[in-house]
Amino acid sequence: MNLITAHAAATLASEGEHVDTHASLSPYMTGGAALVILLLLLWITTRFNRDR
């Protein structure tokens, strides 16, 4: 491990807990949007594969 990486690791370890959340992003909204997108992609895929 080089000196810069060791220094960065030591700095990260000494900073404590860092929570990376944004107040406006709801987990339910994100999950619901992902579900809708995946279902849309599934529907598109099944429309193009009618012969199977």
Side-chain angles (χ1 to χ4, degrees):
M1 187 179 333
N2 63 21
L3 185 60
I4 294 171
T5 307
H7 177 66
T11 303
L12 277 174
S14 66
E15 285 181 1
E17 187 176 339
H18 178 70
V19 179
D20 223 47
T21 57
H22 195 274
S24 67
L25 289 177
S26 168
Y28 295 110
M29 189 67 146
T30 306
L35 179 64
V36 167
I37 290 169
L38 288 172
L39 287 174
L40 179 66
L41 288 173
L42 179 64
W43 181 79
I44 291 170
T45 302
T46 57
R47 297 303 108 196
F48 283 115
N49 288 330
R50 286 183 184 253
D51 57 340
R52 292 188 180 202

